[in-house]
Amino acid sequence: MVTIASAAAFDVTVTNHWNGGFQAKFTITPNHALHGWRAHLICDRSLDSIEIWRANVVEKRNGGKEFVLVNTPLDPDVSNGGSLEIEFAGRMSGDSSPSCMVTVDGVNSSVSHTTQHTPVPTHDTGTSNGVVSPMKYDYGKALGLSILFYDAQRSGRLPANNPIPWRGDSAVNDGDNGHDLSGGWYDAGDHVKFNLPMAMSTHILLWGFIKFQDAYRQAGQTNMMCDMIKWPLDYFLKCWIPESETYYVQVGDGGPDHGYWGRPENMNMWRPAFKVTASNGGSDVAGDTASAFAAGYIVFNTICGDTAYANRLLQAGKSIYEFAKNHQKIYSQSVPQAAGFYGSGGFRDELSLAAAWLYKATNDGRYLNEARQFHDGGVPWSLSWEDKRIAGTLLLYEITQDGSYKNDVMGFVRSYKPGGGITYTPCGLAYRDQWGANRYAANAAFIAVMAAADGIETNDFVTWAMSQINYILGDNKYHISYEIGFGSHYPEHPHHRGSSCPTSTNWCDAGAGGPNPNLLKGALVGGPDNQDNYDDRRGDYVKNEVACDYNAGFQGALAGLLHFAINNALPAAPGSRC
């Protein structure tokens, strides 16, 4: 950090304002080169929060009238005669914008009067002094690839900005008696839309986005993430009909669907829609969707800059939670067609988590009380599409700082560490189960980095999480990245219909030789057996399947590791066992 004796003060230009918020900018133009900088944003009224681009907030002072800013690792230097424009969004009560000024040590600065534009707002969760911890693998690159995997799973009519060149419109007529159910994500390498794992994936992704916003910005992925995560939320809004208390939870029948090996764009089979209602409830899937709606409200209200859409999500979250709570039943009992694929064992974990998210979104104490009432303590077997207890435990700890929740979080992560009772492969993967081995390890790593960000055994938990993610990215027997497209050695034959079928013909053979013609960027394959053995075969749906829930915790763990790295808090990478 360069410290210069004098300080320049200059006005901030407000470029847009609305009831409860505003956008503004200022420009740093030094009279000599800067290598790191520090600034004070001072306003004449209190701000609830700010979301800022190209700077980090390190301290909030004077009841929100002053914020201390420092450079990001991306913009540590400003050359002599150069300039750095910084934009931010502020939130406060009332409909009039504040008057602000900025002081920067030793800098001659000027106000920008350029044409207004509206970027997507972001907000940092940590601090940065411009020093980045060394990373063995590029977690930001891996994070961006994971987002592309979800874009490849899109069903429905694709937007003009579709980033997957080999994907097109598909299943545009999904619906039930005229009710449109197009959209959403295909579950895995097949073409069924299962709302239980889709909703779980959505709220886990949103949670990591909220927690590690600085990582997404550092990776240049904030806009992509906002665009990607809106897709399932739009679909859930179609599925939930509050007036009739009807929630569509599945489109497509798993048996006939799995008998079709072809591109979704060429699919013409009958795709039935299945629903839960007041007389045949589905508290688990409805609760998970309430969590997605509530977390989505926070993201679109504070990060993605769409308050009208955010409010729509919140209202849907409130109503579907009441539906889930008032008509308690396991959804796969109401929809037996789901039981053989994503059969549920209970719903209290989903109801507790939904209530906790609604408390985070509304600050209504009723939701917190209900989250506590539905919560079952202890150390669960895993974080998965079926069991979200540990997610609810950690969220309740974040809200309450209650030591009993903290103890269960610590117990969960420790149960996955060496000596905790879990099997380890010779090369170091925490091996919970053969189905999606990488998924279980990555989900536990996600909880570990989230807990670490909350101050729970930070260095130890981050180090362990890094060991699991590094294994997945290359610290394994074959030095292969189990994330497709990352590095130069990765699976080429994932069990995925759309990826395996040429776009130039309607014919497709699951057993065709050669790599899949379409690169399924970012997909995390199931992974090795308990001896680190892996065979890249399309027909191996245990080791080479991909799925939406496989990537969710993985992506959040990547964001967490990148967060610690850009805040110069990432421990040294643990050594590979292979």
Side-chain angles (χ1 to χ4, degrees):
M1 178 72 68
V2 173
T3 303
I4 307 172
S6 60
F10 56 97
D11 294 333
V12 172
T13 300
V14 174
T15 58
N16 192 15
H17 69 87
W18 57 91
N19 186 17
F22 68 97
Q23 291 176 328
K25 66 173 71 173
F26 60 91
T27 301
I28 298 174
T29 54
N31 55 10
H32 54 277
L34 294 181
H35 304 289
W37 51 267
R38 184 181 183 90
H40 294 258
L41 172 66
I42 303 169
C43 299
D44 63 355
R45 56 186 293 192
S46 295
L47 307 182
D48 296 329
S49 64
I50 65 170
E51 295 87 36
I52 195 159
W53 302 259
R54 306 182 77 180
N56 285 331
V57 179
V58 297
E59 190 175 357
K60 179 179 178 181
R61 296 177 177 174
N62 195 19
K65 291 185 176 181
E66 180 180 358
F67 293 83
V68 180
L69 316 175
V70 298
N71 61 276
T72 69
L74 285 175
D75 293 299
D77 301 328
V78 186
S79 63
N80 183 16
S83 64
L84 177 65
E85 183 179 85
I86 296 175
E87 299 176 282
F88 67 95
R91 302 190 184 278
M92 74 289 174
S93 58
D95 59 0
S96 62
S97 58
S99 175
C100 301
M101 63 176 291
V102 169
T103 63
V104 182
D105 289 344
V107 177
N108 294 325
S109 305
S110 63
V111 179
S112 171
H113 297 284
T114 57
T115 303
Q116 171 187 328
H117 65 283
T118 306
V120 177
T122 59
H123 177 66
D124 288 324
T125 60
T127 65
S128 174
N129 60 5
V131 179
V132 179
S133 302
M135 295 181 289
K136 183 172 183 179
Y137 296 100
D138 187 341
Y139 302 128
K141 174 70 178 295
L143 185 155
L145 287 170
S146 180
I147 290 174
L148 291 176
F149 164 66
Y150 286 102
D151 288 336
Q153 294 299 101
R154 283 173 167 175
S155 178
R157 198 171 303 280
L158 301 187
N161 68 348
N162 167 40
I164 311 300
W166 48 271
R167 282 302 323 280
D169 297 346
S170 63
V172 296
N173 295 318
D174 279 357
D176 185 41
N177 292 320
H179 182 77
D180 178 21
L181 294 172
S182 62
W185 289 329
Y186 296 123
D187 175 59
D190 54 10
H191 303 131
V192 184
K193 297 188 294 195
F194 292 106
N195 284 33
L196 183 66
M198 194 192 309
M200 177 269 186
S201 302
T202 301
H203 68 68
I204 291 297
L205 288 163
L206 287 162
W207 194 12
F209 193 20
I210 293 166
K211 195 75 163 181
F212 303 123
Q213 296 170 39
D214 57 344
Y216 280 86
R217 187 182 66 179
Q218 173 79 3
Q221 294 297 321
T222 299
N223 290 359
M224 290 293 290
M225 181 61 177
C226 288
D227 185 63
M228 176 271 274
I229 205 65
K230 190 173 183 290
W231 198 262
L233 292 170
D234 284 347
Y235 175 68
F236 297 144
L237 288 171
K238 290 182 179 182
C239 292
W240 170 231
I241 309 173
E243 297 80 9
S244 61
E245 292 194 305
T246 299
Y247 183 47
Y248 288 93
V249 300
Q250 180 179 327
V251 177
D253 190 334
D257 179 273
H258 285 188
Y260 167 74
W261 193 278
R263 300 177 68 230
E265 292 82 358
N266 299 331
M267 182 171 53
N268 55 21
M269 70 177 67
W270 178 57
R271 289 170 59 80
F274 304 97
K275 61 192 176 185
V276 294
T277 63
S279 58
N280 276 298
S283 300
D284 32 24
V285 65
D288 251 4
T289 307
S291 292
F293 281 145
Y297 163 78
I298 295 171
V299 161
F300 281 88
N301 196 44
T302 63
I303 304 175
C304 299
D306 191 340
T307 55
Y309 184 70
N311 290 333
R312 187 181 172 199
L313 294 175
L314 182 58
Q315 293 308 309
K318 290 178 178 179
S319 60
I320 201 170
Y321 170 71
E322 294 302 319
F323 167 76
K325 184 180 64 172
N326 294 335
H327 308 290
Q328 295 183 18
K329 188 174 181 179
I330 293 173
Y331 96 106
S332 49
Q333 295 175 350
S334 298
V335 181
Q337 292 83 356
F341 302 92
Y342 291 100
S344 175
F347 50 73
R348 288 179 58 84
D349 53 335
E350 287 91 355
L351 289 179
S352 176
L353 186 59
W357 271 116
L358 284 165
Y359 175 76
K360 291 272 284 187
T362 66
N363 205 35
D364 183 338
R366 174 176 71 90
Y367 290 121
L368 179 56
N369 290 337
E370 292 178 1
R372 288 179 178 272
Q373 291 166 11
F374 285 119
H375 181 70
D376 295 318
V379 176
W381 188 76
S382 69
L383 169 64
S384 70
W385 57 264
E386 204 283 321
D387 191 344
K388 296 96 181 177
R389 278 182 296 160
I390 192 60
T393 302
L394 182 52
L395 197 60
L396 281 169
Y397 173 71
E398 289 183 355
I399 294 168
T400 67
Q401 299 294 295
D402 187 314
S404 64
Y405 300 131
K406 179 179 179 180
N407 289 338
D408 283 348
V409 171
M410 293 169 63
F412 175 80
V413 179
R414 288 172 177 172
S415 75
Y416 270 78
K417 294 181 63 186
I422 194 170
T423 298
Y424 268 76
T425 69
C427 290
L429 182 70
Y431 197 85
R432 176 56 83 195
D433 190 73
Q434 66 170 339
W435 288 91
N438 286 333
R439 171 257 314 265
Y440 287 111
N443 285 356
F446 170 69
I447 292 296
V449 295
M450 294 289 282
D454 290 332
I456 302 176
E457 299 197 14
T458 300
N459 193 75
D460 188 39
F461 281 9
V462 172
T463 300
W464 178 80
M466 187 167 25
S467 74
Q468 299 304 293
I469 298 303
N470 286 1
Y471 178 101
I472 289 170
L473 295 179
D475 283 6
N476 52 61
K477 179 178 180 179
Y478 303 97
H479 305 293
I480 187 175
S481 166
Y482 286 113
E483 183 188 30
I484 298 172
F486 184 82
S488 58
H489 187 201
Y490 46 79
E492 296 181 333
H493 308 81
H495 184 85
H496 188 274
R497 288 157 176 78
S499 170
S500 72
C501 297
T503 59
S504 58
T505 176
N506 291 341
W507 178 85
C508 187
D509 180 5
N516 286 13
N518 306 309
L519 186 63
L520 189 62
K521 291 181 179 178
L524 179 66
V525 300
D529 66 15
N530 60 8
Q531 295 299 309
D532 295 302
N533 297 314
Y534 169 76
D535 187 11
D536 182 15
R537 288 189 300 108
R538 189 177 302 123
D540 190 341
Y541 48 80
V542 177
K543 296 185 179 70
N544 238 19
E545 178 74 285
V546 300
C548 290
D549 72 293
Y550 283 19
N551 269 70
F554 171 64
Q555 184 172 314
L558 290 167
L561 294 175
L562 182 57
H563 162 81
F564 283 101
I566 64 176
N567 290 289
N568 197 28
L570 188 70
S576 172
R577 296 189 189 180
C578 287

